[in-house]
């Protein structure tokens, strides 16, 4: 029997140049859905008052051939036939044939306010028409206004902003700052976490799927405080003792910092065990280190209960890193810290050519305004909780388990509840079938058997019903 348990696993996507999980699913997929006369009983997508203009460009096959010739060979794809999307509006996407899809993945937790939100587009267009780019060496009202607004959303003395272009850049900068400020080199991160694909961030990432064989210096990976598979269950302080041992036995007794996601995104959407961050932050600060909260996926109201994911653990970090939802799809990231810590970079100059450019920061400020104006954090809490409860109802029907908060949810598929054997092939099959029925979700975790559900924050109750009924319909007929 197929068992579904929400938690942690990874995205090894379909690659055309090698054997992959998706190709495996294609070659040996589970039995097809039963019944030929189910059409009248299929879940129905909610109505939506938008029709995209006709697409008259190159075909999906032509673009795929061009992409394979000219784009990097490690590019990955969901689905046997890669989806070609040409239009979007709020929580919906449209392919080249005009077919509508419910976007429950949000560009990997990136589209916060909705695709092509009119107020965000207006802010971007207005700034672009006036001034697209100069340099941070000149005054820029858009970046100053956005920095002020962003600082107002951060706790304590976290009020100095460094703008970047991505989450990887933000985490690289935060880790460098921690080493410079403390004068120490060792960094502690958490197994199964993901922090980026550059030098230090790749080292800090805690799973093999996202690492190359390059030198990794001064990085220690602590035991993952995983309530589902971890040896201490939900006892956060017990997991935190591993950080104490790393400091004692793996370093000189002093460290530069600690970095962690409050809810691991790529790792499989699961929350760190309660009480973990409080205990770890205390140990790291005693060892002279800084505490970095990676909010690239869990920030900007996505969890509903709080604006930042770390707030649910009752801690205040020394540095916050962010990206994805900060710009609703714009290439934008940021590091926020205290003025005292920020001063460590003044010994030389720090300049990011595109970080804080007028267009991106005008869009970022519009994102904050829309989240506030449309009460999207409340919607993430209300509808996200409703969606989670609907998924939990499937738990009893399909022996499933669900993790996460708000609109950052995960559902893990295993073939055996006791052994927790990853149902990787079945996960891919369900995703493929859901796409065919008009619902887009993601997957994650080390073995690729976790559904990642991270829709735009404008997701509705009707959208939640359609997603869950579609998933139920498919799994029930496997």
């Amino acid at each position: 029997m197929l068992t579904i348990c929400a938690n942690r696993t990874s995205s090894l996507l379909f690659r055309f140049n090698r054997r992959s999980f998706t190709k495996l699913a294609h070659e040996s997929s589970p039995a097809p859905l039963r019944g030929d006369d189910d059409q009248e009983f299929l879940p129905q997508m909610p109505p939506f008052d938008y029709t995209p203009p006709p697409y008259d460009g190159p075909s999906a096959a032509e673009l795929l051939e061009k992409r394979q010739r000219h784009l990097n060979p490690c590019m990955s794809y969901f689905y046997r036939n890669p989806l070609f999307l040409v239009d979007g509006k709020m929580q919906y996407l449209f392919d080249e044939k005009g077919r509508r899809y419910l976007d429950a993945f949000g560009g990997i937790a990136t589209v916060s306010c909705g695709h092509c939100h009119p107020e965000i587009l207006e802010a971007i267009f207005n700034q672009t028409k006036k001034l697209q780019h100069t340099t941070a060496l000149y005054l820029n009202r858009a970046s100053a206004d956005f920095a002020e607004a962003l600082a107002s959303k951060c706790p304590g003395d976290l009020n100095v902003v460094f703008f970047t272009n991505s989450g990887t850049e933000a985490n690289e900068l935060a880790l460098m700052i921690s080493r410079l400020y403390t004068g120490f080199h060792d960094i502690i991160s958490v197994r199964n976490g993901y922090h980026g694909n550059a030098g230090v961030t790749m080292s800090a990432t805690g799973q093999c799927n996202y690492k190359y064989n390059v030198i990794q210096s001064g990085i220690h990976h602590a035991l993952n405080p995983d309530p589902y598979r971890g040896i201490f269950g939900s006892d956060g302080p017990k997991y935190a003792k591993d950080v104490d041992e790393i400091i004692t036995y793996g370093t000189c007794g002093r460290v530069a910092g600690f970095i962690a996601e409050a809810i691991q995104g790529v790792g499989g959407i699961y929350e760190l065990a309660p009480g973990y961050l409080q205990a770890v932050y205390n140990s790291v600060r005693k060892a002279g280190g800084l505490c970095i909260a990676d909010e690239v996926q869990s920030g900007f109201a996505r969890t509903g209960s709080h604006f930042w994911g770390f707030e649910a653990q009752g801690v205040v970090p020394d540095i916050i890193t962010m990206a994805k939802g900060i710009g609703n799809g714009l290439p934008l990231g940021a590091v926020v810290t205290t003025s005292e810590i920020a001063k460590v970079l003044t010994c030389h100059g720090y300049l990011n050519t595109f970080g804080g450019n007028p267009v991106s920061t005008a869009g970022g400020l519009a994102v904050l305004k829309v989240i506030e104006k449309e009460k999207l954090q409340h919607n993430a809490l209300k509808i996200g909780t409703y969606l989670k409860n609907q998924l939990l109802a499937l738990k009893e029907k399909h022996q499933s388990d669900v993790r996460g908060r708000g609109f950052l949810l995960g559902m893990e598929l295993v073939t055996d509840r006791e052994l927790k054997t990853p149902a990787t092939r079945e996960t891919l099959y369900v995703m493929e079938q859901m796409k065919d029925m008009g619902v887009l979700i993601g997957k994650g975790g080390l073995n690729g058997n976790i559904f990642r559900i991270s829709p735009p924050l404008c997701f509705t109750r009707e959208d939640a019903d359609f997603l869950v009924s579609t998933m139920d319909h498919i799994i029930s007929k496997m």
Side-chain angles (χ1 to χ4, degrees):
M1 176 180 290
L2 174 66
T3 306
I4 309 171
C5 297
N7 181 352
R8 44 162 254 156
T9 331
S10 137
S11 44
L12 293 176
L13 310 180
F14 183 36
R15 303 179 190 275
F16 281 86
N17 62 332
R18 66 183 69 180
R19 182 173 178 84
S20 67
F21 285 144
T22 303
K23 189 171 287 188
L24 175 63
H26 179 51
E27 294 171 353
S28 56
S29 60
L33 301 186
R34 299 191 303 269
D36 297 325
D37 52 357
D38 293 335
Q39 189 65 38
E40 59 193 276
F41 303 109
L42 292 178
Q44 297 299 307
M45 187 180 296
F48 188 64
D49 187 21
Y50 175 75
T51 301
Y55 173 75
D56 61 359
S59 68
E62 290 172 315
L63 283 180
L64 179 57
E65 191 274 335
K66 185 181 295 186
R67 177 165 166 168
Q68 289 177 318
R69 275 192 294 120
H70 297 298
L71 288 173
N72 75 73
C74 61
M75 295 286 282
S76 302
Y77 312 86
F78 275 160
Y79 312 119
R80 290 191 294 267
N81 297 312
L83 198 57
F84 179 23
L85 299 169
V86 300
D87 208 320
K89 183 68 69 174
M90 303 310 287
Q91 69 270 39
Y92 292 102
L93 290 165
F94 301 83
D95 67 16
E96 79 279 18
K97 297 177 181 178
R99 183 180 180 188
R100 178 161 58 104
Y101 298 87
L102 177 63
D103 182 10
F105 196 29
I108 315 180
T110 298
V111 181
S112 47
C113 301
H115 294 281
C116 297
H117 191 288
E119 294 184 22
I120 298 173
L121 289 183
E122 182 179 14
I124 294 169
F125 292 159
N126 287 342
Q127 181 59 55
T128 303
K129 287 185 291 186
K130 294 177 182 177
L131 187 64
Q132 183 178 350
H133 178 75
T134 56
T135 168
L137 298 172
Y138 305 144
L139 293 180
N140 173 354
R141 179 181 174 182
S143 63
D145 287 349
F146 184 39
E148 180 181 46
L150 197 55
S152 72
K153 305 297 289 186
C154 299
D157 296 326
L158 296 165
N159 56 19
V160 177
V161 180
F162 295 88
F163 286 119
T164 67
N165 304 291
S166 68
T168 291
E169 277 193 4
N171 283 332
E172 285 280 334
L173 178 58
L175 292 168
M176 182 178 73
I177 288 173
S178 69
R179 284 173 164 170
L180 292 173
Y181 181 79
T182 63
F184 295 99
H185 186 68
D186 290 280
I187 299 287
I188 301 173
S189 62
V190 178
R191 295 176 192 172
N192 199 54
Y194 179 85
H195 302 290
N197 58 6
V200 182
T201 50
M202 186 183 294
S203 298
T205 292
Q207 54 171 278
C208 64
N209 293 337
Y210 301 96
K211 287 175 173 288
Y212 288 102
N213 183 27
V214 296
I215 294 174
Q216 301 179 45
S217 171
I219 302 292
H220 308 266
H221 298 95
L223 194 64
N224 187 17
D226 179 350
Y228 178 57
R229 295 179 184 272
I231 59 175
F232 300 123
S234 296
D235 193 333
K238 284 188 177 179
Y239 292 104
K241 291 180 180 178
D242 188 49
V243 173
D244 290 326
E245 294 192 0
I246 287 173
I247 294 170
T248 300
Y249 299 106
T251 76
C252 67
R254 307 287 284 175
V255 298
F258 169 85
I259 185 170
E261 309 156 272
I263 301 178
Q264 290 183 345
V266 173
I269 312 296
Y270 91 95
E271 290 190 76
L272 305 184
Y276 177 75
L277 286 185
Q278 286 187 338
V280 168
Y281 277 24
N282 184 54
S283 296
V284 169
R285 284 168 174 157
K286 284 183 178 178
L290 300 181
C291 299
I292 303 168
D294 182 338
E295 290 288 319
V296 170
Q297 294 200 35
S298 59
F300 290 87
R302 178 159 291 280
T303 64
S305 58
H306 302 84
F307 195 83
W308 305 110
F310 63 79
E311 293 177 296
Q313 289 258 342
V315 296
V316 176
D318 302 298
I319 303 174
I320 308 174
T321 60
M322 57 199 76
K324 292 188 180 287
I326 189 176
N328 201 53
L330 288 165
L332 180 61
V335 173
V336 183
T337 188
T338 66
S339 58
E340 178 191 350
I341 294 172
K343 288 177 183 177
V344 73
L345 292 183
T346 61
C347 61
H348 294 292
Y350 173 79
L351 179 67
N352 186 313
T353 299
F354 298 108
N357 81 82
V359 175
S360 291
T361 50
L365 181 58
V367 167
L368 286 183
K369 290 179 178 178
V370 169
I371 290 174
E372 186 73 23
K373 177 182 177 181
E374 298 184 3
K375 297 180 171 57
L376 293 184
Q377 182 174 337
H378 175 73
N379 191 65
L381 176 62
K382 180 181 177 181
I383 305 302
T385 300
Y386 174 77
L387 173 57
K388 184 176 181 179
N389 288 336
Q390 292 291 90
L391 292 170
L392 285 168
L394 297 186
K395 176 179 179 177
E396 304 306 321
K397 185 175 181 181
H398 301 300
Q399 300 188 61
S400 65
D401 194 17
V402 176
R403 300 274 191 263
R405 289 174 180 251
F407 285 141
L408 194 58
L409 301 175
M411 183 180 236
E412 179 165 356
L413 271 66
V414 297
T415 57
D416 184 285
R417 179 179 289 277
E418 297 301 319
L419 297 177
K420 302 177 181 177
T421 306
T424 302
R425 189 163 58 93
E426 291 81 357
T427 302
L428 290 164
Y429 177 78
V430 173
M431 281 184 63
E432 192 82 38
Q433 294 294 319
M434 289 187 72
K435 182 264 294 180
D436 289 345
M437 292 181 67
V439 181
L440 307 180
I441 57 175
K443 65 184 177 71
L446 186 63
N447 299 292
N449 68 315
I450 304 295
F451 293 131
R452 294 171 66 184
I453 301 172
S454 54
L457 307 189
C458 56
F459 214 66
T460 68
R461 183 185 179 103
E462 292 74 23
D463 296 326
D465 287 337
F466 177 56
L467 185 157
V468 174
S469 61
T470 300
M471 183 179 288
D472 183 27
H473 177 83
I474 293 166
I475 295 176
S476 296
K477 292 182 174 295
M478 286 178 63

